Amino acid sequence: MKTIRIRTTDPADERLKEAGALLRRGGLVAIPTETVYGLAANAFDEAAVRGIFRAKGRPADNPLIVHISDIAQWAPLVTAIPERAKLLAERFWPGPLTMILPKSDLIGKVVSGGLATVAVRFPSHPIARAVIDAAGVPLAAPSANTSGRPSPTNASDVLEDLGGKIDAVVDAGPCSVGVESTVLSLCGETPRLLRPGGVTPEMLREVLGELEIDPAVYENLREGAVAASPGMKYKHYAPRAKVVLLKGSFAQFCAYVAAHAEEGTFALCFAEEAAALPVPTVIYGSTNDSATQAQHIFEALREVDRRGAKRVFARLPARDGLGLAVFNRLVRAAAFQILTLEEDE
Ligand code: TXA
Ligand code: MG
């Protein structure tokens, strides 16, 4: 199949109506959102949704997020909307927050991966909203990458993974947040953060008071543990190169990299640091600037593969605010390998 590329930043572009019609007919269309590009299908068409799993090579038990473009589309998808969920929606929607609640019968088991719950998100990107409007139905959409690869933050990355496997990609340029949405479960007694993203724990606590952070945000799941969010048990965001996160000062980082440089060794570092390193570098954002780090981390992980890196030593990002989301993606790319550098290293 030939994948059509629709380049537009105009929500009134007539071709978005065609993208909507394609989705209504059961097609697969990749769309830009403020977080990352998503691979969309009609959430009520189980055959179309199966196509998403096929195109991505995604395990069938990993549920999809359902995207809406009007708050009124939410209630029919879930059994009830608790007060705290309403407050969060008022504060953070449209935006990079996904809320999980018990699902209604409208949501089939392909979308939910067999779970009794559904994740819903109201994106703020004007083109995403225009496509959902044009389709006239909620859209199931995971990140538009091949399963296990870094999420795509521009249309070329989508085509690198899924070109020829999907009907179309709507290209509106790079995504502004750069990491996927915050995933929050509201099914238990206490709200639980399953994946950190653009809406930070600090922001959630302002509205909720109490918030639990799932241990899988920081660590690898223990052998035999059940993942609250099935996506967390899979190897994620990983380039082909072996990534090791180094914890320590920049001087320690430089010394370690110099002592361990071989053919194919790269450094994944901040913009201000690149010139001082003795190996080829790939930059992910600026020092002490989680927003630019989030914008560039996935593209940087793809870049190390394009340049044929074999081993990558990566700087550890700060873990507060949006930095937690950057850390969460990087530590998965590194298969949870963090090396603490000692003073005399
Ligand atoms: O920003 C985003 O959220 C992007 C854009 C396209 O909206 N989408 C995205 O989808 O990142 P995906 O499928 O790549 O990641 C969704 C995550 C997965 O880890 C999945 O396991 C989890 O959310 N998830 C989805 N539904 C769930 C549910 N009912 N219960 C627990 N986890 C769920
Ligand atoms: Mg994904």
Side-chain angles (χ1 to χ4, degrees), residues 153-188:
T153 50
N154 59 63
S156 299
D157 289 351
V158 173
L159 290 168
E160 182 176 72
D161 284 11
L162 301 176
K165 296 182 175 173
I166 62 176
D167 295 289
V169 56
V170 180
D171 178 356
C175 301
S176 58
V177 179
V179 291
E180 308 91 334
S181 63
T182 303
V183 176
L184 182 72
S185 172
L186 295 166
C187 300

Side-chain angles (χ1 to χ4, degrees), residues 35 58 62-63 65 67 100 117 119 121 142-143 180-181 195 229 231:
T35 58
R58 182 179 178 102
N62 194 2
I65 295 173
H67 295 66
I100 299 174
T117 57
R121 162 159 138 73
S143 50
E180 308 91 334
S181 63
R195 180 176 74 182
S229 189

Side-chain angles (χ1 to χ4, degrees), residues 65-90:
I65 295 173
V66 177
H67 295 66
I68 58 175
S69 58
D70 186 318
I71 198 92
Q73 290 173 304
W74 190 19
L77 306 176
V78 296
T79 53
I81 301 177
E83 192 53 35
R84 60 192 185 192
K86 285 185 194 142
L87 291 174
L88 289 167
E90 264 168 39

Side-chain angles (χ1 to χ4, degrees), residues 8-312:
T8 187
T9 51
D10 174 12
D13 193 315
E14 280 302 316
R15 292 170 301 166
L16 297 182
K17 302 259 183 327
E18 289 166 33
L22 241 172
L23 285 159
R24 249 197 328 273
R25 290 200 300 273
L28 300 182
V29 179
I31 59 169
T33 82
E34 69 278 20
T35 58
V36 300
Y37 275 71
L39 177 58
N42 176 354
F44 299 145
D45 179 343
E46 295 266 290
V49 175
R50 269 195 203 94
I52 293 180
F53 285 85
R54 247 192 328 269
K56 281 180 60 84
R58 182 179 178 102
D61 67 350
N62 194 2
L64 306 182
I65 295 173
V66 177
H67 295 66
I68 58 175
S69 58
D70 186 318
I71 198 92
Q73 290 173 304
W74 190 19
L77 306 176
V78 296
T79 53
I81 301 177
E83 192 53 35
R84 60 192 185 192
K86 285 185 194 142
L87 291 174
L88 289 167
E90 264 168 39
R91 177 75 178 271
F92 299 117
W93 276 1
L97 174 66
T98 296
M99 289 191 259
I100 299 174
L101 288 167
K103 74 172 191 70
S104 75
D105 292 340
L106 272 182
I107 297 293
K109 48 178 186 296
V110 181
V111 171
S112 72
L115 298 178
T117 57
V118 65
V120 178
R121 162 159 138 73
F122 183 169
S124 63
H125 197 295
I127 300 294
R129 293 167 64 174
V131 176
I132 304 167
D133 282 344
V137 285
L139 299 178
S143 50
N145 51 295
T146 297
S147 209
R149 294 217 68 212
S151 294
T153 50
N154 59 63
S156 299
D157 289 351
V158 173
L159 290 168
E160 182 176 72
D161 284 11
L162 301 176
K165 296 182 175 173
I166 62 176
D167 295 289
V169 56
V170 180
D171 178 356
C175 301
S176 58
V177 179
V179 291
E180 308 91 334
S181 63
T182 303
V183 176
L184 182 72
S185 172
L186 295 166
C187 300
E189 183 107 338
T190 309
R192 195 171 180 86
L193 179 73
L194 303 185
R195 180 176 74 182
V199 175
T200 65
E202 293 84 345
M203 292 158 78
L204 291 171
R205 284 203 173 99
E206 268 180 40
V207 175
L208 291 169
E210 50 175 8
L211 173 73
E212 283 171 3
I213 300 195
D214 197 281
V217 166
Y218 298 103
E219 328 167 351
N220 205 354
L221 275 178
R222 289 192 188 81
E223 203 65 45
V226 176
S229 189
M232 289 190 298
K233 74 178 181 232
Y234 298 108
K235 191 176 170 198
H236 244 106
Y237 317 119
R240 285 176 278 273
K242 182 176 156 60
V243 179
V244 182
L245 271 165
L246 300 184
K247 183 176 182 183
S249 68
F250 181 55
Q252 288 171 328
F253 183 85
C254 285
Y256 187 90
V257 170
H260 296 82
E262 290 166 14
E263 185 68 33
T265 298
F266 277 62
L268 186 58
C269 65
F270 306 125
E272 300 81 354
E273 303 172 341
L277 283 155
V279 295
T281 56
V282 173
I283 289 166
Y284 78 101
S286 301
T287 315
N288 299 325
D289 183 1
S290 300
T292 59
Q293 292 166 14
Q295 271 164 8
H296 297 290
I297 186 61
F298 283 133
E299 191 54 31
L301 289 170
R302 282 176 181 259
E303 180 70 16
V304 297
D305 275 346
R306 286 187 201 118
R307 291 174 58 188
K310 292 200 177 63
R311 192 163 53 150
V312 179

